[in-house]
Each structure stands twice: as C-alpha cells, then as structure tokens.
C-alpha cells in the first residue's frame, strides 16, 4: 500500500498553514528554560525558515537570568543549533530572526516587571506598526501560571482592544487534580476569557494524531466498522525508554497518571472514540471530544484496583546499558510514591462503544519508545475453512503508529500459496516517510502557528481538561494516600505483572511492541 500521496483526495489539514498570521509580539515567560531552548525557539526559527511568520514579528523573552538582548540572542542561537535538527543555521534567516529577539530580566512575582514589559511592548509597537497583538506563552513552572496571568491583567496587557488580540498559551500540567485545576481556571479565566486561552497538549500538534481524524473521517471504509459491533477492544500505548532525565523534581510531584494519561492519552482516546464532527472547526471538534470524555465513568477509590495498575521502575537495562532505579534518579525522593507506569481499563458508555474496553498504558524506562493506537477487531463470525488451516491467524488489527516509524498498518488473513488452503496473517503498511518524502513538522511549530492564527481546534478546551480530571480524581486521591508497591518493574521490561493480570482478566493480552 506504500505509495505517493494523491493531491486530489488528500484532506489537507495543513492547507490552513498557507495563511500567514497577523503581525504580533510573542512574549515567552521562562525564556531561559528547557522548553524554550528545546522546543519553542527551534519551532519559531523553523517557522521563520519556511516564511510562515510575518516580517513584523517580535519575540520578547522574560526570565530571571540577567541577560541583555545580545546575550539572549546568543543563547537562543546555541539552542536552535543544538535542538533544531538543522545541520547548519541559514545565516541570513538567523540574522533577520535574531534581530526580532528581545529580552527582559524579570521576577514573575514583581509588578514592576510587568510595567517594564508594557513599556517594551509599547516601544516595539511605536517602532513597528502593527505590533499591538500579543501572544503570551507561559513556559514556566505551573505555580506561576495564575500569578503571571493576574499580573498581566493588572498591567492592562490582557484585553483584546480595538483590532488587536491578547492570547495566553498555557503549558501542561493544567492543575494537579480536579480542584486545583478549577481554581487555576478561575484565576486565569478572571483575566483571559476562554476565547483568549490556549491550553497546549503537544500531542494534538503531532501529524499522526491529526491523521487519526483524517483516517476516520476522510475515508468511507473505516467508519462503518468503527464501533462495538466490529471492534473487540482498543489499546493505546505511550511507551518511553527514557527515564525522568533532568526533570526528577517535577516528575516526582506528578507521576505518569498526571503527566501522560490525563492529558495526552485522554486526548488521543477522545479522537479515536468521538462521533464525526459536522465540520473541522474548533467548536465542532471540541464538542464531540468532550462528549466522549463524559461517557467515561469516573474511577472511584473503591474500584481503583479493578481498573488501574501502577508501577515504579527499579534498576535494569535499556539497550544493553545499566540504568538506575527511579528512586535513585536526581530530584526524586528516596521513598517516592510517584508512579512511572500506569495501565488502565476504561469503558466509553455510549451506543457506539458499550462493551468495547479501551486499555491504556504508559511508562518510563520501558524497552522502547513507541506510541500507538491499536484497534483490535472481532474475529470473523464463521470460518468455512478446516480448523487446521487457520490455526495461526489472528483477527484483523488496525495499528496507527504515532511515533516513531509513523504510519498505519492493517493486519488481515491471506492464503499461503500452495495446493491446500493455508491461512496466515499479512499486513498492509503505510509509512509517512516513504509516502510523503518529507519529515513531519514538530508539534510545536503547528501549535504556535495556530495560536497566532487564533485557531484553537488543536488545543484543549476547559471542559475537556476538567472532565479528564473528574475521571481520574478518585484514583489520584487513592494513589496519593496509599503507598505504591515500590520498584515493581525492572527498567527495560514492559511494566509490572499486575498490568498483564489486568488485561488477562478479560481474556486479552497487551500487544508486544
Ligand atoms: C511530556 C511529558 O508532556 O511528554 C514527558 O511531561 C514525556 O514526561 C513527553 O516524556 C513525551 O512526549 P513525546 O512527544 O516525546 O511523546
């Protein structure tokens, strides 16, 4: 099935990218941090390289580091060269891009910093017509999210005035449980309206995640079988071979349920399970996604054990190299209660999915990095062939590989050539790399551009985030209160044995990746 893309039939989500955003100033809080260096600045440079940013653009970075504009530019040049995936920077483009970078040392709790920012924005506006639009990007520790929003409001920087916009982009985690998320939303919402608020979930910026919608809704053959009558179950896996790297301090307060399940996996799940939206616009898509999440029962503490398993890795081997156990990672408490692995069984209680379980799993220090959605179909209702002929076959399986090795494959049964009927599984495989011959854009490129364009389709709406927390809130409280069975899987294994038991109770198995 590998082949070139067909421009006649392609449902081109990227077509909107041909629109160039209006001139704007992007203000990055946390400009010396990891996210800015690794993701935001490389994405912005890449957009500049593709001429997708307007020339009248400025980027103002704020952080505690005592830099001036030139030092910031040099730091960002190194960041883009290191993390941007380019062999060399284009000297002309970089020079033009760097001229647009400005810096303000600031303590985010200090009101004076926001007066300084306002002054800088006014100066930029006076010197470059059209720079009244502001996109505030909060790439900081979550404790600063409400603080920054409130200060921006007090400094008069938050309102959409005349023809200019003010938008705020908030990184995850959006709260750490239901009540803290609600408080955060109220505090940010008192300053920035929902229309101005862009909650980033970078999984939605991934091409392969967006392709889920295209696969489902631009093809006629999948939708008729995309339901409880034909689908036996769905497995969603987000496996990482990495540990917590240099983020032990954050991760230890978070754990896998908050870090991956409540946001990335729930977003993917809602795209897999949602009804067809009438249009591909923000409201239609969000309305359908939130309906799916509302159909998932909340997990109470008393049922936690039946539907969820957690794990924490001990020392082991990844790619043949020894790695330490979670509790020995930098920034992690020696008696940490944080889970680095979660497996869950959820149901979507509506007409489409009643009785079709969704199994979710995610973990750090698993044998390999692999994110995928597997739709396991029911067996053929009747096999007219001799039992010996079909012994080794398995039901149809559609796998959407989100990363790496992006693509889609469909497993089906075929006759082995020969005089008798012998049946074996084969698969049709579509690979992004060989079909489109160009690498997918980084998720942050797409999301930054959409935020500048005012398109919130690929961001998380508040009711989705809130519903995600409602589903896991009882489980979180239970897990926070009860000590974890520490170090119950070896780094380099597929998680604790409890995860296998969870799915085997239903007579099923996790896919071997
Ligand atoms: C982040 C999590 O949101 O997603 C990290 O905080 C995780 O812990 C990362 O490693 C995974 O993202 P990706 O794009 O590499 O799958």
């Amino acid at each position: 099935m590998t082949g070139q893309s067909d421009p006649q039939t392609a449902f081109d989500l990227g077509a909107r990218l041909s629109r160039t955003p209006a001139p704007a100033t992007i203000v990055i809080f946390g400009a010396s941090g990891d996210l800015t260096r690794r993701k935001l600045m490389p994405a912005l440079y890449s957009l500049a390289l593709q001429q997708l940013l307007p020339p009248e653009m400025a980027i103002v970075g704020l952080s505690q580091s005592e830099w001036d504009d030139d030092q910031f530019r040099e730091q960002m040049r190194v960041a883009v060269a290191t993390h941007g995936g380019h062999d060399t920077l284009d000297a002309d483009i970089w020079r033009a891009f760097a001229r647009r970078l400005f810096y303000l040392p600031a303590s985010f709790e200090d009101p004076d910093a926001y007066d300084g920012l306002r002054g800088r924005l006014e100066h930029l506006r006076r010197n470059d017509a059209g720079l009244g639009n502001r996109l505030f990007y909060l790439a900081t520790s979550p404790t600063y999210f409400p603080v920054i929003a409130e200060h921006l409001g007090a400094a008069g920087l938050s309102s959409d005035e005349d023809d200019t916009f003010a938008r705020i982009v908030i990184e995850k985690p959006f709260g750490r449980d239901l009540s803290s998320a609600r408080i955060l939303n109220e505090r940010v919402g008192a300053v920035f309206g929902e229309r101005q608020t862009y909650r980033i979930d970078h999984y939605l910026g991934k091409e392969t995640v967006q392709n889920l919608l295209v696969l489902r809704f631009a093809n006629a053959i999948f939708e008729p079988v995309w339901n409880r009558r034909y689908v036996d179950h769905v497995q969603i896996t987000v496996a990482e071979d990495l540990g917590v790297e240099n983020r032990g301090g954050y991760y230890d307060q978070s754990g896998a349920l908050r870090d991956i399940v409540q946001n990335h996996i729930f977003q993917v799940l809602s795209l897999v399970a949602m009804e067809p939206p009438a249009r591909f616009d923000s409201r239609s898509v969000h309305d359908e996604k939130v309906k799916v999440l509302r159909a998932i029962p909340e997990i109470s503490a008393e049922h936690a054990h039946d539907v969820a398993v957690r794990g924490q890795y001990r020392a082991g081997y990844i790619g043949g190299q020894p790695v330490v156990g979670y509790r020995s990672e930098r920034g992690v408490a020696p008696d940490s209660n944080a889970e680095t692995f979660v497996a869950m069984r959820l149901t979507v209680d509506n007409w489409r999915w009643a009785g079709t379980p969704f199994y979710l799993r995610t973990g750090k220090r698993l044998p390999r990095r692999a994110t995928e959605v597997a739709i396991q179909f029911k067996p053929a209702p009747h096999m007219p062939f001799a039992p010996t002929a079909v012994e080794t076959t398995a039901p149809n399986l559609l796998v959407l590989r989100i990363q790496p090795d992006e693509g889609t494959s469909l497993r089906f049964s075929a006759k082995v050539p020969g005089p008798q009927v012998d049946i074996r599984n084969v698969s049709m495989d579509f690979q992004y790399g060989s079909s489109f011959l160009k690498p997918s854009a980084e998720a942050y490129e797409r999301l930054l551009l959409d935020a500048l364009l005012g398109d919130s389709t690929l961001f998380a709406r508040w009711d989705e985030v809130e519903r995600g927390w409602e589903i896991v809130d009882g489980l979180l409280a239970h897990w926070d209160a009860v000590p974890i069975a520490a170090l119950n899987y070896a780094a380099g294994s597929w998680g604790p044995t409890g995860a296998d038991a969870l799915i085997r109770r239903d007579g099923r198995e996790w896919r071997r990746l």
Side-chain angles (χ1 to χ4, degrees), residues 203 208-209 212 234-239 265 268-269 272 359-361 368-375 397-405 407 409 494 510-513:
Y203 264 59
T208 40
V209 171
L212 254 162
V234 177
Q235 293 188 19
I236 302 178
T237 301
V238 177
I265 294 193
V268 172
L269 166 58
V272 172
Y359 300 98
L360 320 175
R361 64 178 161 163
R368 54 177 290 234
R369 176 169 186 249
T371 297
E372 63 154 52
V373 177
I375 317 281
L397 177 77
L398 181 68
V399 179
L400 313 171
R401 295 188 304 273
I402 290 172
Q403 63 191 24
D405 185 24
S409 66
W494 279 106
W510 291 110
R511 267 171 51 69
R512 288 215 212 146
L513 302 178

Short mmCIF file of all heavy atoms in Angstrom, two decimals, residues 203 208-209 212 234-239 265 268-269 272 359-361 368-375 397-405 407 409 494 510-513:
data_model
loop_
_atom_site.label_atom_id
_atom_site.label_comp_id
_atom_site.label_asym_id
_atom_site.label_seq_id
_atom_site.Cartn_x
_atom_site.Cartn_y
_atom_site.Cartn_z
N TYR A 203 0.57 16.67 22.06
CA TYR A 203 0.18 15.51 21.26
C TYR A 203 -0.75 15.90 20.13
O TYR A 203 -0.74 15.30 19.06
CB TYR A 203 -0.43 14.42 22.15
CG TYR A 203 0.62 13.40 22.53
CD1 TYR A 203 1.76 13.81 23.21
CD2 TYR A 203 0.51 12.07 22.15
CE1 TYR A 203 2.77 12.91 23.51
CE2 TYR A 203 1.51 11.17 22.45
CZ TYR A 203 2.64 11.59 23.13
OH TYR A 203 3.64 10.70 23.40
N THR A 208 0.64 12.70 13.19
CA THR A 208 0.00 11.40 13.21
C THR A 208 -1.25 11.40 14.08
O THR A 208 -2.16 10.61 13.86
CB THR A 208 0.99 10.34 13.73
OG1 THR A 208 1.74 10.93 14.81
CG2 THR A 208 1.93 9.90 12.65
N VAL A 209 -1.30 12.26 15.08
CA VAL A 209 -2.50 12.36 15.90
C VAL A 209 -3.60 13.05 15.09
O VAL A 209 -4.75 12.61 15.07
CB VAL A 209 -2.20 13.09 17.23
CG1 VAL A 209 -3.48 13.38 18.00
CG2 VAL A 209 -1.25 12.25 18.08
N LEU A 212 -5.39 10.82 12.67
CA LEU A 212 -6.48 9.99 13.18
C LEU A 212 -7.83 10.49 12.66
O LEU A 212 -8.70 9.72 12.28
CB LEU A 212 -6.51 10.15 14.70
CG LEU A 212 -6.00 9.01 15.53
CD1 LEU A 212 -5.68 9.49 16.93
CD2 LEU A 212 -7.07 7.96 15.56
N VAL A 234 -9.72 -1.68 22.16
CA VAL A 234 -8.73 -0.72 21.67
C VAL A 234 -7.60 -0.66 22.69
O VAL A 234 -7.85 -0.67 23.90
CB VAL A 234 -9.38 0.68 21.51
CG1 VAL A 234 -8.34 1.72 21.07
CG2 VAL A 234 -10.55 0.63 20.52
N GLN A 235 -6.37 -0.61 22.19
CA GLN A 235 -5.22 -0.41 23.09
C GLN A 235 -4.50 0.87 22.70
O GLN A 235 -4.16 1.06 21.53
CB GLN A 235 -4.23 -1.58 22.98
CG GLN A 235 -4.77 -2.89 23.50
CD GLN A 235 -3.70 -4.00 23.56
OE1 GLN A 235 -2.49 -3.73 23.55
NE2 GLN A 235 -4.17 -5.23 23.65
N ILE A 236 -4.26 1.71 23.68
CA ILE A 236 -3.47 2.92 23.42
C ILE A 236 -2.22 2.85 24.29
O ILE A 236 -2.32 2.71 25.52
CB ILE A 236 -4.27 4.20 23.74
CG1 ILE A 236 -5.57 4.23 22.90
CG2 ILE A 236 -3.42 5.45 23.47
CD1 ILE A 236 -6.47 5.43 23.17
N THR A 237 -1.08 2.91 23.66
CA THR A 237 0.19 2.79 24.38
C THR A 237 1.05 4.04 24.16
O THR A 237 1.19 4.48 23.03
CB THR A 237 1.00 1.58 23.83
OG1 THR A 237 0.21 0.39 23.99
CG2 THR A 237 2.32 1.41 24.57
N VAL A 238 1.57 4.58 25.25
CA VAL A 238 2.60 5.62 25.15
C VAL A 238 3.79 5.10 25.95
O VAL A 238 3.83 5.22 27.17
CB VAL A 238 2.11 6.98 25.72
CG1 VAL A 238 3.25 8.02 25.67
CG2 VAL A 238 0.91 7.49 24.93
N ALA A 239 4.71 4.46 25.25
CA ALA A 239 5.86 3.84 25.92
C ALA A 239 7.10 4.69 25.69
O ALA A 239 7.34 5.15 24.58
CB ALA A 239 6.09 2.43 25.37
N ILE A 265 -3.01 10.94 26.69
CA ILE A 265 -3.75 9.72 26.33
C ILE A 265 -5.24 10.02 26.21
O ILE A 265 -5.92 9.54 25.30
CB ILE A 265 -3.48 8.57 27.32
CG1 ILE A 265 -2.02 8.14 27.22
CG2 ILE A 265 -4.42 7.40 27.05
CD1 ILE A 265 -1.68 6.82 27.89
N VAL A 268 -5.89 11.58 22.85
CA VAL A 268 -5.87 10.61 21.76
C VAL A 268 -7.12 9.74 21.82
O VAL A 268 -7.79 9.50 20.81
CB VAL A 268 -4.58 9.74 21.84
CG1 VAL A 268 -4.63 8.61 20.83
CG2 VAL A 268 -3.34 10.60 21.60
N LEU A 269 -7.46 9.29 23.01
CA LEU A 269 -8.65 8.46 23.18
C LEU A 269 -9.90 9.17 22.66
O LEU A 269 -10.75 8.59 21.98
CB LEU A 269 -8.81 8.10 24.67
CG LEU A 269 -10.14 7.52 25.14
CD1 LEU A 269 -10.49 6.25 24.40
CD2 LEU A 269 -10.09 7.22 26.63
N VAL A 272 -10.05 9.02 18.96
CA VAL A 272 -10.35 7.68 18.47
C VAL A 272 -11.84 7.37 18.62
O VAL A 272 -12.44 6.75 17.74
CB VAL A 272 -9.53 6.61 19.26
CG1 VAL A 272 -9.98 5.20 18.91
CG2 VAL A 272 -8.05 6.77 18.99
N TYR A 359 -8.02 -0.17 26.62
CA TYR A 359 -6.89 -0.42 27.52
C TYR A 359 -5.82 0.63 27.24
O TYR A 359 -5.43 0.82 26.09
CB TYR A 359 -6.32 -1.81 27.29
CG TYR A 359 -7.32 -2.92 27.55
CD1 TYR A 359 -8.01 -3.50 26.48
CD2 TYR A 359 -7.59 -3.35 28.83
CE1 TYR A 359 -8.95 -4.50 26.71
CE2 TYR A 359 -8.53 -4.35 29.07
CZ TYR A 359 -9.20 -4.92 28.00
OH TYR A 359 -10.13 -5.89 28.23
N LEU A 360 -5.37 1.28 28.28
CA LEU A 360 -4.37 2.34 28.14
C LEU A 360 -3.13 1.95 28.93
O LEU A 360 -3.25 1.40 30.02
CB LEU A 360 -4.91 3.66 28.71
CG LEU A 360 -6.38 4.01 28.45
CD1 LEU A 360 -6.75 5.30 29.18
CD2 LEU A 360 -6.62 4.17 26.96
N ARG A 361 -1.98 2.26 28.41
CA ARG A 361 -0.76 2.04 29.23
C ARG A 361 0.30 3.05 28.85
O ARG A 361 0.41 3.45 27.68
CB ARG A 361 -0.22 0.62 29.10
CG ARG A 361 0.24 0.28 27.74
CD ARG A 361 0.83 -1.13 27.64
NE ARG A 361 0.84 -1.51 26.24
CZ ARG A 361 1.54 -2.49 25.71
NH1 ARG A 361 2.31 -3.24 26.48
NH2 ARG A 361 1.49 -2.76 24.43
N ARG A 368 11.25 0.18 24.75
CA ARG A 368 11.47 1.06 23.60
C ARG A 368 10.44 2.17 23.56
O ARG A 368 9.40 2.10 24.24
CB ARG A 368 11.44 0.27 22.30
CG ARG A 368 10.20 -0.57 22.09
CD ARG A 368 10.24 -1.24 20.74
NE ARG A 368 10.08 -0.24 19.71
CZ ARG A 368 9.15 -0.30 18.75
NH1 ARG A 368 8.32 -1.32 18.70
NH2 ARG A 368 9.05 0.64 17.84
N ARG A 369 10.75 3.19 22.77
CA ARG A 369 9.82 4.30 22.60
C ARG A 369 8.81 3.91 21.53
O ARG A 369 9.19 3.59 20.40
CB ARG A 369 10.61 5.54 22.16
CG ARG A 369 9.74 6.73 21.85
CD ARG A 369 10.62 7.97 21.68
NE ARG A 369 9.81 9.15 21.53
CZ ARG A 369 9.72 9.86 20.41
NH1 ARG A 369 10.38 9.48 19.33
NH2 ARG A 369 8.96 10.93 20.36
N ALA A 370 7.56 3.91 21.87
CA ALA A 370 6.53 3.57 20.89
C ALA A 370 5.20 4.11 21.37
O ALA A 370 4.75 3.79 22.47
CB ALA A 370 6.44 2.06 20.71
N THR A 371 4.58 4.93 20.54
CA THR A 371 3.24 5.41 20.84
C THR A 371 2.33 4.94 19.71
O THR A 371 2.63 5.18 18.54
CB THR A 371 3.22 6.95 20.92
OG1 THR A 371 4.05 7.35 21.99
CG2 THR A 371 1.82 7.47 21.18
N GLU A 372 1.25 4.26 20.07
CA GLU A 372 0.37 3.76 19.03
C GLU A 372 -1.04 3.55 19.54
O GLU A 372 -1.29 3.45 20.75
CB GLU A 372 0.91 2.45 18.46
CG GLU A 372 0.96 1.33 19.51
CD GLU A 372 0.89 -0.07 18.92
OE1 GLU A 372 1.67 -0.36 18.01
OE2 GLU A 372 0.03 -0.87 19.38
N VAL A 373 -1.96 3.50 18.59
CA VAL A 373 -3.34 3.13 18.87
C VAL A 373 -3.59 1.84 18.09
O VAL A 373 -3.33 1.80 16.88
CB VAL A 373 -4.32 4.21 18.37
CG1 VAL A 373 -5.76 3.77 18.60
CG2 VAL A 373 -4.04 5.54 19.04
N ALA A 374 -4.06 0.81 18.77
CA ALA A 374 -4.34 -0.45 18.08
C ALA A 374 -5.83 -0.76 18.20
O ALA A 374 -6.36 -0.84 19.31
CB ALA A 374 -3.51 -1.58 18.69
N ILE A 375 -6.47 -0.89 17.06
CA ILE A 375 -7.90 -1.23 17.03
C ILE A 375 -7.98 -2.71 16.71
O ILE A 375 -7.67 -3.13 15.59
CB ILE A 375 -8.66 -0.45 15.92
CG1 ILE A 375 -8.23 1.02 15.87
CG2 ILE A 375 -10.17 -0.65 16.02
CD1 ILE A 375 -8.83 1.89 16.89
N LEU A 397 -6.50 -6.29 12.63
CA LEU A 397 -5.94 -5.32 13.57
C LEU A 397 -5.51 -4.09 12.78
O LEU A 397 -4.79 -4.21 11.79
CB LEU A 397 -4.71 -5.93 14.26
CG LEU A 397 -3.95 -5.04 15.22
CD1 LEU A 397 -4.71 -4.93 16.54
CD2 LEU A 397 -2.56 -5.61 15.49
N LEU A 398 -5.96 -2.94 13.20
CA LEU A 398 -5.54 -1.69 12.57
C LEU A 398 -4.65 -0.97 13.57
O LEU A 398 -5.09 -0.69 14.70
CB LEU A 398 -6.76 -0.84 12.23
CG LEU A 398 -6.47 0.48 11.54
CD1 LEU A 398 -5.93 0.26 10.13
CD2 LEU A 398 -7.74 1.34 11.48
N VAL A 399 -3.41 -0.69 13.19
CA VAL A 399 -2.49 -0.02 14.12
C VAL A 399 -2.11 1.34 13.56
O VAL A 399 -1.65 1.45 12.42
CB VAL A 399 -1.22 -0.87 14.34
CG1 VAL A 399 -0.26 -0.14 15.28
CG2 VAL A 399 -1.57 -2.22 14.92
N LEU A 400 -2.34 2.35 14.36
CA LEU A 400 -1.93 3.71 13.99
C LEU A 400 -0.68 4.03 14.78
O LEU A 400 -0.73 4.19 16.01
CB LEU A 400 -3.05 4.70 14.34
CG LEU A 400 -4.44 4.25 13.89
CD1 LEU A 400 -5.52 5.16 14.45
CD2 LEU A 400 -4.51 4.22 12.38
N ARG A 401 0.45 4.04 14.09
CA ARG A 401 1.72 4.29 14.78
C ARG A 401 1.94 5.80 14.86
O ARG A 401 2.18 6.46 13.84
CB ARG A 401 2.87 3.62 14.03
CG ARG A 401 2.80 2.09 14.01
CD ARG A 401 4.07 1.49 13.41
NE ARG A 401 4.36 2.00 12.09
CZ ARG A 401 3.87 1.50 10.96
NH1 ARG A 401 3.07 0.45 10.99
NH2 ARG A 401 4.18 2.05 9.79
N ILE A 402 1.87 6.31 16.06
CA ILE A 402 2.00 7.76 16.24
C ILE A 402 3.48 8.16 16.22
O ILE A 402 3.85 9.16 15.65
CB ILE A 402 1.27 8.20 17.52
CG1 ILE A 402 -0.24 8.05 17.27
CG2 ILE A 402 1.61 9.62 17.92
CD1 ILE A 402 -1.13 8.25 18.46
N GLN A 403 4.32 7.35 16.83
CA GLN A 403 5.76 7.59 16.78
C GLN A 403 6.49 6.41 17.40
O GLN A 403 5.91 5.74 18.26
CB GLN A 403 6.14 8.87 17.54
CG GLN A 403 5.81 8.77 19.02
CD GLN A 403 5.91 10.07 19.77
OE1 GLN A 403 5.79 11.13 19.22
NE2 GLN A 403 6.12 9.97 21.07
N PRO A 404 7.73 6.13 17.08
CA PRO A 404 8.40 6.61 15.87
C PRO A 404 7.88 5.76 14.70
O PRO A 404 6.86 5.10 14.89
CB PRO A 404 9.86 6.30 16.16
CG PRO A 404 9.82 5.11 17.07
CD PRO A 404 8.52 5.18 17.84
N ASP A 405 8.55 5.75 13.57
CA ASP A 405 8.14 4.91 12.46
C ASP A 405 6.67 5.19 12.12
O ASP A 405 5.84 4.28 12.00
CB ASP A 405 8.35 3.43 12.88
CG ASP A 405 8.06 2.46 11.76
OD1 ASP A 405 8.14 2.88 10.60
OD2 ASP A 405 7.71 1.31 12.05
N GLY A 407 3.07 5.74 10.86
CA GLY A 407 2.34 5.11 9.77
C GLY A 407 1.12 4.36 10.26
O GLY A 407 0.70 4.50 11.41
N SER A 409 -0.93 0.42 9.83
CA SER A 409 -0.91 -0.89 9.20
C SER A 409 -2.19 -1.65 9.51
O SER A 409 -2.81 -1.43 10.55
CB SER A 409 0.32 -1.69 9.62
OG SER A 409 0.23 -1.99 10.99
N TRP A 494 8.31 -4.57 30.33
CA TRP A 494 7.05 -3.94 29.90
C TRP A 494 6.12 -3.62 31.06
O TRP A 494 4.91 -3.58 30.89
CB TRP A 494 6.35 -4.80 28.85
CG TRP A 494 6.94 -4.59 27.49
CD1 TRP A 494 7.75 -5.45 26.81
CD2 TRP A 494 6.80 -3.42 26.66
NE1 TRP A 494 8.13 -4.89 25.60
CE2 TRP A 494 7.56 -3.65 25.49
CE3 TRP A 494 6.12 -2.20 26.80
CZ2 TRP A 494 7.66 -2.71 24.46
CZ3 TRP A 494 6.22 -1.28 25.78
CH2 TRP A 494 6.97 -1.52 24.62
N TRP A 510 -1.78 -7.68 26.15
CA TRP A 510 -1.17 -6.46 25.60
C TRP A 510 -0.45 -6.82 24.31
O TRP A 510 0.11 -7.91 24.20
CB TRP A 510 -0.15 -5.87 26.57
CG TRP A 510 -0.74 -5.31 27.81
CD1 TRP A 510 -0.63 -5.83 29.07
CD2 TRP A 510 -1.54 -4.12 27.94
NE1 TRP A 510 -1.30 -5.04 29.96
CE2 TRP A 510 -1.87 -3.98 29.29
CE3 TRP A 510 -2.00 -3.17 27.02
CZ2 TRP A 510 -2.64 -2.92 29.77
CZ3 TRP A 510 -2.77 -2.12 27.50
CH2 TRP A 510 -3.09 -2.00 28.85
N ARG A 511 -0.46 -5.90 23.41
CA ARG A 511 0.32 -6.12 22.20
C ARG A 511 1.80 -6.11 22.52
O ARG A 511 2.25 -5.31 23.33
CB ARG A 511 0.04 -4.99 21.20
CG ARG A 511 -1.06 -5.32 20.24
CD ARG A 511 -1.46 -4.15 19.42
NE ARG A 511 -0.35 -3.45 18.75
CZ ARG A 511 0.37 -3.94 17.75
NH1 ARG A 511 0.15 -5.15 17.31
NH2 ARG A 511 1.33 -3.22 17.18
N ARG A 512 2.55 -6.98 21.86
CA ARG A 512 4.00 -6.94 22.02
C ARG A 512 4.54 -5.95 21.01
O ARG A 512 4.30 -6.12 19.82
CB ARG A 512 4.59 -8.31 21.72
CG ARG A 512 4.27 -9.28 22.78
CD ARG A 512 5.44 -10.22 22.93
NE ARG A 512 4.93 -11.51 23.32
CZ ARG A 512 5.47 -12.64 22.95
NH1 ARG A 512 6.50 -12.62 22.14
NH2 ARG A 512 4.99 -13.77 23.36
N LEU A 513 5.26 -4.96 21.48
CA LEU A 513 5.71 -3.91 20.55
C LEU A 513 7.19 -4.11 20.23
O LEU A 513 7.96 -4.43 21.07
CB LEU A 513 5.48 -2.54 21.16
CG LEU A 513 4.03 -2.22 21.52
CD1 LEU A 513 3.93 -0.85 22.16
CD2 LEU A 513 3.14 -2.28 20.30
#
